[in-house]
PDB file of all heavy atoms in Angstrom:
ATOM      1  N   LEU A   1     -26.449 -91.675-171.802  1.00  0.00           N
ATOM      2  CA  LEU A   1     -25.381 -92.539-171.311  1.00  0.00           C
ATOM      3  C   LEU A   1     -24.365 -92.838-172.415  1.00  0.00           C
ATOM      4  O   LEU A   1     -23.147 -92.866-172.162  1.00  0.00           O
ATOM      5  CB  LEU A   1     -25.975 -93.840-170.779  1.00  0.00           C
ATOM      6  CG  LEU A   1     -25.047 -94.724-169.939  1.00  0.00           C
ATOM      7  CD1 LEU A   1     -24.525 -93.961-168.729  1.00  0.00           C
ATOM      8  CD2 LEU A   1     -25.772 -95.982-169.500  1.00  0.00           C
ATOM      9  N   LYS A   2     -24.857 -93.033-173.636  1.00  0.00           N
ATOM     10  CA  LYS A   2     -23.962 -93.297-174.768  1.00  0.00           C
ATOM     11  C   LYS A   2     -22.999 -92.130-174.984  1.00  0.00           C
ATOM     12  O   LYS A   2     -21.814 -92.327-175.296  1.00  0.00           O
ATOM     13  CB  LYS A   2     -24.795 -93.543-176.028  1.00  0.00           C
ATOM     14  CG  LYS A   2     -23.972 -93.875-177.262  1.00  0.00           C
ATOM     15  CD  LYS A   2     -24.888 -94.110-178.462  1.00  0.00           C
ATOM     16  CE  LYS A   2     -24.062 -94.393-179.730  1.00  0.00           C
ATOM     17  NZ  LYS A   2     -24.936 -94.591-180.912  1.00  0.00           N
ATOM     18  N   LEU A   3     -23.499 -90.907-174.832  1.00  0.00           N
ATOM     19  CA  LEU A   3     -22.647 -89.726-174.978  1.00  0.00           C
ATOM     20  C   LEU A   3     -21.755 -89.537-173.762  1.00  0.00           C
ATOM     21  O   LEU A   3     -20.605 -89.091-173.880  1.00  0.00           O
ATOM     22  CB  LEU A   3     -23.522 -88.490-175.193  1.00  0.00           C
ATOM     23  CG  LEU A   3     -22.822 -87.140-175.344  1.00  0.00           C
ATOM     24  CD1 LEU A   3     -21.843 -87.156-176.508  1.00  0.00           C
ATOM     25  CD2 LEU A   3     -23.835 -86.014-175.518  1.00  0.00           C
ATOM     26  N   ALA A   4     -22.272 -89.879-172.568  1.00  0.00           N
ATOM     27  CA  ALA A   4     -21.529 -89.620-171.335  1.00  0.00           C
ATOM     28  C   ALA A   4     -20.307 -90.523-171.182  1.00  0.00           C
ATOM     29  O   ALA A   4     -19.290 -90.092-170.621  1.00  0.00           O
ATOM     30  CB  ALA A   4     -22.444 -89.787-170.120  1.00  0.00           C
ATOM     31  N   LEU A   5     -20.375 -91.752-171.668  1.00  0.00           N
ATOM     32  CA  LEU A   5     -19.287 -92.708-171.433  1.00  0.00           C
ATOM     33  C   LEU A   5     -17.935 -92.215-171.942  1.00  0.00           C
ATOM     34  O   LEU A   5     -16.947 -92.237-171.195  1.00  0.00           O
ATOM     35  CB  LEU A   5     -19.643 -94.070-172.039  1.00  0.00           C
ATOM     36  CG  LEU A   5     -20.691 -94.881-171.260  1.00  0.00           C
ATOM     37  CD1 LEU A   5     -21.054 -96.146-172.016  1.00  0.00           C
ATOM     38  CD2 LEU A   5     -20.193 -95.211-169.862  1.00  0.00           C
ATOM     39  N   PRO A   6     -17.820 -91.764-173.194  1.00  0.00           N
ATOM     40  CA  PRO A   6     -16.514 -91.238-173.625  1.00  0.00           C
ATOM     41  C   PRO A   6     -16.120 -89.955-172.908  1.00  0.00           C
ATOM     42  O   PRO A   6     -14.921 -89.691-172.716  1.00  0.00           O
ATOM     43  CB  PRO A   6     -16.695 -91.006-175.130  1.00  0.00           C
ATOM     44  CG  PRO A   6     -18.163 -90.901-175.334  1.00  0.00           C
ATOM     45  CD  PRO A   6     -18.783 -91.799-174.314  1.00  0.00           C
ATOM     46  N   LEU A   7     -17.101 -89.160-172.492  1.00  0.00           N
ATOM     47  CA  LEU A   7     -16.777 -87.929-171.769  1.00  0.00           C
ATOM     48  C   LEU A   7     -16.227 -88.248-170.384  1.00  0.00           C
ATOM     49  O   LEU A   7     -15.275 -87.605-169.911  1.00  0.00           O
ATOM     50  CB  LEU A   7     -18.020 -87.040-171.660  1.00  0.00           C
ATOM     51  CG  LEU A   7     -18.627 -86.597-172.998  1.00  0.00           C
ATOM     52  CD1 LEU A   7     -19.841 -85.705-172.774  1.00  0.00           C
ATOM     53  CD2 LEU A   7     -17.598 -85.863-173.848  1.00  0.00           C
ATOM     54  N   ILE A   8     -16.814 -89.246-169.725  1.00  0.00           N
ATOM     55  CA  ILE A   8     -16.290 -89.694-168.428  1.00  0.00           C
ATOM     56  C   ILE A   8     -14.875 -90.239-168.606  1.00  0.00           C
ATOM     57  O   ILE A   8     -13.964 -89.919-167.833  1.00  0.00           O
ATOM     58  CB  ILE A   8     -17.212 -90.773-167.830  1.00  0.00           C
ATOM     59  CG1 ILE A   8     -18.568 -90.168-167.449  1.00  0.00           C
ATOM     60  CG2 ILE A   8     -16.557 -91.422-166.604  1.00  0.00           C
ATOM     61  CD1 ILE A   8     -19.627 -91.202-167.122  1.00  0.00           C
ATOM     62  N   SER A   9     -14.688 -91.049-169.641  1.00  0.00           N
ATOM     63  CA  SER A   9     -13.369 -91.628-169.907  1.00  0.00           C
ATOM     64  C   SER A   9     -12.341 -90.534-170.159  1.00  0.00           C
ATOM     65  O   SER A   9     -11.187 -90.618-169.706  1.00  0.00           O
ATOM     66  CB  SER A   9     -13.435 -92.570-171.109  1.00  0.00           C
ATOM     67  OG  SER A   9     -14.371 -93.604-170.896  1.00  0.00           O
ATOM     68  N   GLY A  10     -12.756 -89.482-170.873  1.00  0.00           N
ATOM     69  CA  GLY A  10     -11.850 -88.367-171.143  1.00  0.00           C
ATOM     70  C   GLY A  10     -11.448 -87.635-169.878  1.00  0.00           C
ATOM     71  O   GLY A  10     -10.280 -87.253-169.708  1.00  0.00           O
ATOM     72  N   GLN A  11     -12.404 -87.439-168.958  1.00  0.00           N
ATOM     73  CA  GLN A  11     -12.081 -86.770-167.699  1.00  0.00           C
ATOM     74  C   GLN A  11     -11.129 -87.614-166.855  1.00  0.00           C
ATOM     75  O   GLN A  11     -10.207 -87.095-166.228  1.00  0.00           O
ATOM     76  CB  GLN A  11     -13.375 -86.495-166.906  1.00  0.00           C
ATOM     77  CG  GLN A  11     -14.313 -85.512-167.570  1.00  0.00           C
ATOM     78  CD  GLN A  11     -13.647 -84.186-167.882  1.00  0.00           C
ATOM     79  OE1 GLN A  11     -13.003 -83.579-167.034  1.00  0.00           O
ATOM     80  NE2 GLN A  11     -13.806 -83.728-169.106  1.00  0.00           N
ATOM     81  N   LEU A  12     -11.334 -88.932-166.866  1.00  0.00           N
ATOM     82  CA  LEU A  12     -10.449 -89.819-166.114  1.00  0.00           C
ATOM     83  C   LEU A  12      -9.042 -89.827-166.712  1.00  0.00           C
ATOM     84  O   LEU A  12      -8.044 -89.905-165.985  1.00  0.00           O
ATOM     85  CB  LEU A  12     -11.026 -91.230-166.079  1.00  0.00           C
ATOM     86  CG  LEU A  12     -12.284 -91.396-165.213  1.00  0.00           C
ATOM     87  CD1 LEU A  12     -12.892 -92.783-165.408  1.00  0.00           C
ATOM     88  CD2 LEU A  12     -11.975 -91.161-163.733  1.00  0.00           C
ATOM     89  N   SER A  13      -8.956 -89.740-168.046  1.00  0.00           N
ATOM     90  CA  SER A  13      -7.627 -89.692-168.675  1.00  0.00           C
ATOM     91  C   SER A  13      -6.911 -88.399-168.320  1.00  0.00           C
ATOM     92  O   SER A  13      -5.680 -88.376-168.168  1.00  0.00           O
ATOM     93  CB  SER A  13      -7.751 -89.845-170.197  1.00  0.00           C
ATOM     94  OG  SER A  13      -8.334 -88.701-170.784  1.00  0.00           O
ATOM     95  N   HIS A  14      -7.672 -87.309-168.177  1.00  0.00           N
ATOM     96  CA  HIS A  14      -7.081 -86.040-167.744  1.00  0.00           C
ATOM     97  C   HIS A  14      -6.505 -86.182-166.332  1.00  0.00           C
ATOM     98  O   HIS A  14      -5.419 -85.662-166.031  1.00  0.00           O
ATOM     99  CB  HIS A  14      -8.137 -84.934-167.778  1.00  0.00           C
ATOM    100  CG  HIS A  14      -7.624 -83.579-167.389  1.00  0.00           C
ATOM    101  ND1 HIS A  14      -6.804 -82.831-168.198  1.00  0.00           N
ATOM    102  CD2 HIS A  14      -7.793 -82.854-166.261  1.00  0.00           C
ATOM    103  CE1 HIS A  14      -6.493 -81.692-167.588  1.00  0.00           C
ATOM    104  NE2 HIS A  14      -7.088 -81.691-166.413  1.00  0.00           N
ATOM    105  N   MET A  15      -7.232 -86.895-165.461  1.00  0.00           N
ATOM    106  CA  MET A  15      -6.729 -87.166-164.114  1.00  0.00           C
ATOM    107  C   MET A  15      -5.443 -87.987-164.182  1.00  0.00           C
ATOM    108  O   MET A  15      -4.501 -87.764-163.421  1.00  0.00           O
ATOM    109  CB  MET A  15      -7.779 -87.923-163.310  1.00  0.00           C
ATOM    110  CG  MET A  15      -8.986 -87.107-162.890  1.00  0.00           C
ATOM    111  SD  MET A  15      -8.613 -85.924-161.574  1.00  0.00           S
ATOM    112  CE  MET A  15      -8.259 -87.042-160.220  1.00  0.00           C
ATOM    113  N   LEU A  16      -5.402 -88.945-165.129  1.00  0.00           N
ATOM    114  CA  LEU A  16      -4.224 -89.795-165.275  1.00  0.00           C
ATOM    115  C   LEU A  16      -2.986 -88.963-165.606  1.00  0.00           C
ATOM    116  O   LEU A  16      -1.897 -89.224-165.092  1.00  0.00           O
ATOM    117  CB  LEU A  16      -4.468 -90.840-166.367  1.00  0.00           C
ATOM    118  CG  LEU A  16      -3.277 -91.739-166.742  1.00  0.00           C
ATOM    119  CD1 LEU A  16      -2.850 -92.574-165.542  1.00  0.00           C
ATOM    120  CD2 LEU A  16      -3.646 -92.637-167.920  1.00  0.00           C
ATOM    121  N   MET A  17      -3.146 -87.956-166.460  1.00  0.00           N
ATOM    122  CA  MET A  17      -2.013 -87.089-166.802  1.00  0.00           C
ATOM    123  C   MET A  17      -1.493 -86.370-165.565  1.00  0.00           C
ATOM    124  O   MET A  17      -0.279 -86.297-165.330  1.00  0.00           O
ATOM    125  CB  MET A  17      -2.410 -86.077-167.878  1.00  0.00           C
ATOM    126  CG  MET A  17      -1.280 -85.127-168.256  1.00  0.00           C
ATOM    127  SD  MET A  17      -1.729 -83.915-169.527  1.00  0.00           S
ATOM    128  CE  MET A  17      -1.612 -84.903-171.006  1.00  0.00           C
ATOM    129  N   GLY A  18      -2.396 -85.855-164.740  1.00  0.00           N
ATOM    130  CA  GLY A  18      -1.982 -85.161-163.524  1.00  0.00           C
ATOM    131  C   GLY A  18      -1.251 -86.076-162.556  1.00  0.00           C
ATOM    132  O   GLY A  18      -0.224 -85.713-161.983  1.00  0.00           O
ATOM    133  N   VAL A  19      -1.780 -87.305-162.398  1.00  0.00           N
ATOM    134  CA  VAL A  19      -1.149 -88.261-161.480  1.00  0.00           C
ATOM    135  C   VAL A  19       0.235 -88.654-161.986  1.00  0.00           C
ATOM    136  O   VAL A  19       1.210 -88.689-161.226  1.00  0.00           O
ATOM    137  CB  VAL A  19      -2.038 -89.513-161.311  1.00  0.00           C
ATOM    138  CG1 VAL A  19      -1.296 -90.609-160.556  1.00  0.00           C
ATOM    139  CG2 VAL A  19      -3.319 -89.150-160.576  1.00  0.00           C
ATOM    140  N   SER A  20       0.344 -88.942-163.290  1.00  0.00           N
ATOM    141  CA  SER A  20       1.633 -89.370-163.843  1.00  0.00           C
ATOM    142  C   SER A  20       2.667 -88.251-163.752  1.00  0.00           C
ATOM    143  O   SER A  20       3.839 -88.498-163.425  1.00  0.00           O
ATOM    144  CB  SER A  20       1.470 -89.820-165.298  1.00  0.00           C
ATOM    145  OG  SER A  20       1.091 -88.735-166.131  1.00  0.00           O
ATOM    146  N   ASP A  21       2.244 -87.010-164.020  1.00  0.00           N
ATOM    147  CA  ASP A  21       3.169 -85.876-163.895  1.00  0.00           C
ATOM    148  C   ASP A  21       3.678 -85.745-162.462  1.00  0.00           C
ATOM    149  O   ASP A  21       4.877 -85.520-162.226  1.00  0.00           O
ATOM    150  CB  ASP A  21       2.491 -84.576-164.322  1.00  0.00           C
ATOM    151  CG  ASP A  21       2.417 -84.432-165.837  1.00  0.00           C
ATOM    152  OD1 ASP A  21       3.008 -85.276-166.537  1.00  0.00           O
ATOM    153  OD2 ASP A  21       1.773 -83.482-166.319  1.00  0.00           O
ATOM    154  N   THR A  22       2.751 -85.893-161.489  1.00  0.00           N
ATOM    155  CA  THR A  22       3.134 -85.768-160.082  1.00  0.00           C
ATOM    156  C   THR A  22       4.151 -86.836-159.694  1.00  0.00           C
ATOM    157  O   THR A  22       5.167 -86.546-159.043  1.00  0.00           O
ATOM    158  CB  THR A  22       1.884 -85.884-159.187  1.00  0.00           C
ATOM    159  OG1 THR A  22       0.981 -84.821-159.514  1.00  0.00           O
ATOM    160  CG2 THR A  22       2.264 -85.774-157.719  1.00  0.00           C
ATOM    161  N   VAL A  23       3.880 -88.081-160.098  1.00  0.00           N
ATOM    162  CA  VAL A  23       4.770 -89.186-159.737  1.00  0.00           C
ATOM    163  C   VAL A  23       6.146 -88.997-160.365  1.00  0.00           C
ATOM    164  O   VAL A  23       7.183 -89.146-159.701  1.00  0.00           O
ATOM    165  CB  VAL A  23       4.155 -90.538-160.167  1.00  0.00           C
ATOM    166  CG1 VAL A  23       5.168 -91.658-160.024  1.00  0.00           C
ATOM    167  CG2 VAL A  23       2.910 -90.831-159.345  1.00  0.00           C
ATOM    168  N   MET A  24       6.181 -88.619-161.660  1.00  0.00           N
ATOM    169  CA  MET A  24       7.454 -88.548-162.369  1.00  0.00           C
ATOM    170  C   MET A  24       8.267 -87.317-161.963  1.00  0.00           C
ATOM    171  O   MET A  24       9.500 -87.370-161.872  1.00  0.00           O
ATOM    172  CB  MET A  24       7.215 -88.588-163.876  1.00  0.00           C
ATOM    173  CG  MET A  24       6.536 -89.880-164.310  1.00  0.00           C
ATOM    174  SD  MET A  24       6.252 -90.035-166.072  1.00  0.00           S
ATOM    175  CE  MET A  24       7.829 -90.692-166.597  1.00  0.00           C
ATOM    176  N   ILE A  25       7.608 -86.215-161.683  1.00  0.00           N
ATOM    177  CA  ILE A  25       8.331 -85.040-161.190  1.00  0.00           C
ATOM    178  C   ILE A  25       8.804 -85.287-159.764  1.00  0.00           C
ATOM    179  O   ILE A  25       9.906 -84.875-159.373  1.00  0.00           O
ATOM    180  CB  ILE A  25       7.448 -83.772-161.260  1.00  0.00           C
ATOM    181  CG1 ILE A  25       7.145 -83.413-162.719  1.00  0.00           C
ATOM    182  CG2 ILE A  25       8.124 -82.589-160.565  1.00  0.00           C
ATOM    183  CD1 ILE A  25       6.112 -82.313-162.886  1.00  0.00           C
ATOM    184  N   GLY A  26       7.983 -86.000-158.975  1.00  0.00           N
ATOM    185  CA  GLY A  26       8.367 -86.322-157.602  1.00  0.00           C
ATOM    186  C   GLY A  26       9.639 -87.139-157.527  1.00  0.00           C
ATOM    187  O   GLY A  26      10.385 -87.057-156.544  1.00  0.00           O
ATOM    188  N   SER A  27       9.914 -87.917-158.587  1.00  0.00           N
ATOM    189  CA  SER A  27      11.136 -88.729-158.584  1.00  0.00           C
ATOM    190  C   SER A  27      12.385 -87.872-158.725  1.00  0.00           C
ATOM    191  O   SER A  27      13.489 -88.327-158.420  1.00  0.00           O
ATOM    192  CB  SER A  27      11.083 -89.755-159.727  1.00  0.00           C
ATOM    193  OG  SER A  27      11.124 -89.104-160.991  1.00  0.00           O
ATOM    194  N   VAL A  28      12.224 -86.624-159.195  1.00  0.00           N
ATOM    195  CA  VAL A  28      13.374 -85.719-159.320  1.00  0.00           C
ATOM    196  C   VAL A  28      13.760 -85.154-157.956  1.00  0.00           C
ATOM    197  O   VAL A  28      14.937 -84.965-157.656  1.00  0.00           O
ATOM    198  CB  VAL A  28      13.047 -84.574-160.303  1.00  0.00           C
ATOM    199  CG1 VAL A  28      14.209 -83.592-160.400  1.00  0.00           C
ATOM    200  CG2 VAL A  28      12.707 -85.142-161.668  1.00  0.00           C
ATOM    201  N   GLY A  29      12.758 -84.865-157.130  1.00  0.00           N
ATOM    202  CA  GLY A  29      13.043 -84.318-155.811  1.00  0.00           C
ATOM    203  C   GLY A  29      11.874 -83.513-155.280  1.00  0.00           C
ATOM    204  O   GLY A  29      10.966 -83.117-156.029  1.00  0.00           O
ATOM    205  N   VAL A  30      11.911 -83.260-153.975  1.00  0.00           N
ATOM    206  CA  VAL A  30      10.812 -82.548-153.315  1.00  0.00           C
ATOM    207  C   VAL A  30      10.710 -81.111-153.813  1.00  0.00           C
ATOM    208  O   VAL A  30       9.621 -80.572-153.991  1.00  0.00           O
ATOM    209  CB  VAL A  30      11.016 -82.577-151.782  1.00  0.00           C
ATOM    210  CG1 VAL A  30       9.948 -81.742-151.079  1.00  0.00           C
ATOM    211  CG2 VAL A  30      10.987 -83.998-151.266  1.00  0.00           C
ATOM    212  N   VAL A  31      11.857 -80.465-154.048  1.00  0.00           N
ATOM    213  CA  VAL A  31      11.844 -79.063-154.493  1.00  0.00           C
ATOM    214  C   VAL A  31      11.181 -78.950-155.864  1.00  0.00           C
ATOM    215  O   VAL A  31      10.352 -78.054-156.095  1.00  0.00           O
ATOM    216  CB  VAL A  31      13.280 -78.492-154.524  1.00  0.00           C
ATOM    217  CG1 VAL A  31      13.276 -77.097-155.139  1.00  0.00           C
ATOM    218  CG2 VAL A  31      13.860 -78.449-153.118  1.00  0.00           C
ATOM    219  N   SER A  32      11.524 -79.857-156.781  1.00  0.00           N
ATOM    220  CA  SER A  32      10.919 -79.827-158.117  1.00  0.00           C
ATOM    221  C   SER A  32       9.414 -80.065-158.042  1.00  0.00           C
ATOM    222  O   SER A  32       8.628 -79.404-158.734  1.00  0.00           O
ATOM    223  CB  SER A  32      11.567 -80.890-159.010  1.00  0.00           C
ATOM    224  OG  SER A  32      12.907 -80.576-159.265  1.00  0.00           O
ATOM    225  N   LEU A  33       9.015 -81.011-157.180  1.00  0.00           N
ATOM    226  CA  LEU A  33       7.579 -81.276-157.021  1.00  0.00           C
ATOM    227  C   LEU A  33       6.878 -80.056-156.434  1.00  0.00           C
ATOM    228  O   LEU A  33       5.770 -79.694-156.857  1.00  0.00           O
ATOM    229  CB  LEU A  33       7.372 -82.499-156.128  1.00  0.00           C
ATOM    230  CG  LEU A  33       5.915 -82.938-155.920  1.00  0.00           C
ATOM    231  CD1 LEU A  33       5.254 -83.263-157.249  1.00  0.00           C
ATOM    232  CD2 LEU A  33       5.858 -84.156-154.989  1.00  0.00           C
ATOM    233  N   GLY A  34       7.527 -79.393-155.471  1.00  0.00           N
ATOM    234  CA  GLY A  34       6.939 -78.186-154.892  1.00  0.00           C
ATOM    235  C   GLY A  34       6.803 -77.077-155.920  1.00  0.00           C
ATOM    236  O   GLY A  34       5.791 -76.368-155.955  1.00  0.00           O
ATOM    237  N   ALA A  35       7.816 -76.920-156.785  1.00  0.00           N
ATOM    238  CA  ALA A  35       7.754 -75.893-157.829  1.00  0.00           C
ATOM    239  C   ALA A  35       6.631 -76.182-158.819  1.00  0.00           C
ATOM    240  O   ALA A  35       5.897 -75.274-159.231  1.00  0.00           O
ATOM    241  CB  ALA A  35       9.095 -75.818-158.559  1.00  0.00           C
ATOM    242  N   ALA A  36       6.479 -77.462-159.207  1.00  0.00           N
ATOM    243  CA  ALA A  36       5.409 -77.836-160.137  1.00  0.00           C
ATOM    244  C   ALA A  36       4.046 -77.620-159.505  1.00  0.00           C
ATOM    245  O   ALA A  36       3.103 -77.134-160.158  1.00  0.00           O
ATOM    246  CB  ALA A  36       5.578 -79.287-160.560  1.00  0.00           C
ATOM    247  N   THR A  37       3.910 -77.965-158.222  1.00  0.00           N
ATOM    248  CA  THR A  37       2.638 -77.776-157.517  1.00  0.00           C
ATOM    249  C   THR A  37       2.290 -76.291-157.428  1.00  0.00           C
ATOM    250  O   THR A  37       1.137 -75.887-157.660  1.00  0.00           O
ATOM    251  CB  THR A  37       2.720 -78.383-156.110  1.00  0.00           C
ATOM    252  OG1 THR A  37       3.050 -79.770-156.222  1.00  0.00           O
ATOM    253  CG2 THR A  37       1.397 -78.226-155.370  1.00  0.00           C
ATOM    254  N   PHE A  38       3.279 -75.469-157.099  1.00  0.00           N
ATOM    255  CA  PHE A  38       3.079 -74.017-157.014  1.00  0.00           C
ATOM    256  C   PHE A  38       2.640 -73.459-158.371  1.00  0.00           C
ATOM    257  O   PHE A  38       1.670 -72.691-158.467  1.00  0.00           O
ATOM    258  CB  PHE A  38       4.375 -73.369-156.541  1.00  0.00           C
ATOM    259  CG  PHE A  38       4.312 -71.877-156.365  1.00  0.00           C
ATOM    260  CD1 PHE A  38       3.141 -71.237-155.982  1.00  0.00           C
ATOM    261  CD2 PHE A  38       5.444 -71.095-156.578  1.00  0.00           C
ATOM    262  CE1 PHE A  38       3.096 -69.857-155.814  1.00  0.00           C
ATOM    263  CE2 PHE A  38       5.410 -69.722-156.413  1.00  0.00           C
ATOM    264  CZ  PHE A  38       4.231 -69.105-156.037  1.00  0.00           C
ATOM    265  N   ALA A  39       3.331 -73.873-159.433  1.00  0.00           N
ATOM    266  CA  ALA A  39       2.991 -73.392-160.778  1.00  0.00           C
ATOM    267  C   ALA A  39       1.588 -73.837-161.183  1.00  0.00           C
ATOM    268  O   ALA A  39       0.801 -73.036-161.727  1.00  0.00           O
ATOM    269  CB  ALA A  39       4.020 -73.905-161.784  1.00  0.00           C
ATOM    270  N   ASN A  40       1.257 -75.090-160.922  1.00  0.00           N
ATOM    271  CA  ASN A  40      -0.071 -75.591-161.290  1.00  0.00           C
ATOM    272  C   ASN A  40      -1.170 -74.883-160.507  1.00  0.00           C
ATOM    273  O   ASN A  40      -2.269 -74.672-161.028  1.00  0.00           O
ATOM    274  CB  ASN A  40      -0.149 -77.101-161.056  1.00  0.00           C
ATOM    275  CG  ASN A  40       0.622 -77.880-162.104  1.00  0.00           C
ATOM    276  OD1 ASN A  40       0.732 -77.460-163.251  1.00  0.00           O
ATOM    277  ND2 ASN A  40       1.178 -79.019-161.716  1.00  0.00           N
ATOM    278  N   THR A  41      -0.872 -74.523-159.255  1.00  0.00           N
ATOM    279  CA  THR A  41      -1.851 -73.774-158.456  1.00  0.00           C
ATOM    280  C   THR A  41      -2.117 -72.409-159.083  1.00  0.00           C
ATOM    281  O   THR A  41      -3.266 -71.958-159.169  1.00  0.00           O
ATOM    282  CB  THR A  41      -1.334 -73.605-157.012  1.00  0.00           C
ATOM    283  OG1 THR A  41      -1.116 -74.901-156.437  1.00  0.00           O
ATOM    284  CG2 THR A  41      -2.335 -72.837-156.158  1.00  0.00           C
ATOM    285  N   LEU A  42      -1.039 -71.743-159.534  1.00  0.00           N
ATOM    286  CA  LEU A  42      -1.200 -70.429-160.162  1.00  0.00           C
ATOM    287  C   LEU A  42      -1.984 -70.527-161.474  1.00  0.00           C
ATOM    288  O   LEU A  42      -2.768 -69.629-161.807  1.00  0.00           O
ATOM    289  CB  LEU A  42       0.174 -69.814-160.433  1.00  0.00           C
ATOM    290  CG  LEU A  42       1.007 -69.439-159.197  1.00  0.00           C
ATOM    291  CD1 LEU A  42       2.399 -68.982-159.623  1.00  0.00           C
ATOM    292  CD2 LEU A  42       0.315 -68.354-158.376  1.00  0.00           C
ATOM    293  N   LEU A  43      -1.789 -71.606-162.224  1.00  0.00           N
ATOM    294  CA  LEU A  43      -2.450 -71.748-163.517  1.00  0.00           C
ATOM    295  C   LEU A  43      -3.852 -72.345-163.406  1.00  0.00           C
ATOM    296  O   LEU A  43      -4.592 -72.365-164.392  1.00  0.00           O
ATOM    297  CB  LEU A  43      -1.602 -72.626-164.442  1.00  0.00           C
ATOM    298  CG  LEU A  43      -0.253 -72.029-164.869  1.00  0.00           C
ATOM    299  CD1 LEU A  43       0.538 -73.040-165.680  1.00  0.00           C
ATOM    300  CD2 LEU A  43      -0.457 -70.741-165.673  1.00  0.00           C
ATOM    301  N   ALA A  44      -4.200 -72.843-162.217  1.00  0.00           N
ATOM    302  CA  ALA A  44      -5.509 -73.492-162.056  1.00  0.00           C
ATOM    303  C   ALA A  44      -6.650 -72.513-162.285  1.00  0.00           C
ATOM    304  O   ALA A  44      -7.660 -72.856-162.922  1.00  0.00           O
ATOM    305  CB  ALA A  44      -5.617 -74.114-160.667  1.00  0.00           C
ATOM    306  N   VAL A  45      -6.489 -71.286-161.781  1.00  0.00           N
ATOM    307  CA  VAL A  45      -7.586 -70.307-161.906  1.00  0.00           C
ATOM    308  C   VAL A  45      -7.867 -69.953-163.371  1.00  0.00           C
ATOM    309  O   VAL A  45      -9.012 -70.049-163.818  1.00  0.00           O
ATOM    310  CB  VAL A  45      -7.292 -69.049-161.069  1.00  0.00           C
ATOM    311  CG1 VAL A  45      -8.313 -67.946-161.374  1.00  0.00           C
ATOM    312  CG2 VAL A  45      -7.335 -69.392-159.584  1.00  0.00           C
ATOM    313  N   PRO A  46      -6.848 -69.563-164.186  1.00  0.00           N
ATOM    314  CA  PRO A  46      -7.162 -69.272-165.590  1.00  0.00           C
ATOM    315  C   PRO A  46      -7.677 -70.489-166.350  1.00  0.00           C
ATOM    316  O   PRO A  46      -8.494 -70.352-167.259  1.00  0.00           O
ATOM    317  CB  PRO A  46      -5.825 -68.783-166.174  1.00  0.00           C
ATOM    318  CG  PRO A  46      -4.779 -69.199-165.218  1.00  0.00           C
ATOM    319  CD  PRO A  46      -5.429 -69.239-163.878  1.00  0.00           C
ATOM    320  N   PHE A  47      -7.226 -71.684-165.963  1.00  0.00           N
ATOM    321  CA  PHE A  47      -7.720 -72.877-166.657  1.00  0.00           C
ATOM    322  C   PHE A  47      -9.196 -73.117-166.341  1.00  0.00           C
ATOM    323  O   PHE A  47      -9.985 -73.437-167.239  1.00  0.00           O
ATOM    324  CB  PHE A  47      -6.887 -74.101-166.265  1.00  0.00           C
ATOM    325  CG  PHE A  47      -7.258 -75.336-167.044  1.00  0.00           C
ATOM    326  CD1 PHE A  47      -6.946 -75.433-168.390  1.00  0.00           C
ATOM    327  CD2 PHE A  47      -7.918 -76.385-166.441  1.00  0.00           C
ATOM    328  CE1 PHE A  47      -7.293 -76.559-169.129  1.00  0.00           C
ATOM    329  CE2 PHE A  47      -8.273 -77.516-167.158  1.00  0.00           C
ATOM    330  CZ  PHE A  47      -7.956 -77.598-168.511  1.00  0.00           C
ATOM    331  N   VAL A  48      -9.576 -72.949-165.079  1.00  0.00           N
ATOM    332  CA  VAL A  48     -10.988 -73.108-164.698  1.00  0.00           C
ATOM    333  C   VAL A  48     -11.844 -72.043-165.382  1.00  0.00           C
ATOM    334  O   VAL A  48     -12.940 -72.333-165.880  1.00  0.00           O
ATOM    335  CB  VAL A  48     -11.142 -73.038-163.165  1.00  0.00           C
ATOM    336  CG1 VAL A  48     -12.607 -72.908-162.769  1.00  0.00           C
ATOM    337  CG2 VAL A  48     -10.537 -74.277-162.512  1.00  0.00           C
TER     338      VAL A  48
END
């Protein structure tokens, strides 16, 4: 549990980056958000 706590926190912070990127890109417009979503989908496989 002592080792897991910072690892869990790190995974949640990674989620925070994704959420913040989505919100801030979404403020530019639907097309920009769609382009970012499309790009992230393409890069998801090599990242996994």
Side-chain angles (χ1 to χ4, degrees):
L1 193 58
K2 182 180 178 181
L3 179 58
L5 286 175
L7 300 181
I8 292 168
S9 302
Q11 295 305 310
L12 290 172
S13 70
H14 182 73
M15 288 287 293
L16 175 62
M17 179 180 281
V19 170
S20 65
D21 282 353
T22 299
V23 170
M24 299 182 85
I25 294 171
S27 66
V28 178
V30 175
V31 173
S32 293
L33 183 59
T37 302
F38 182 31
N40 286 329
T41 301
L42 293 174
L43 293 175
V45 171
F47 186 70
V48 168

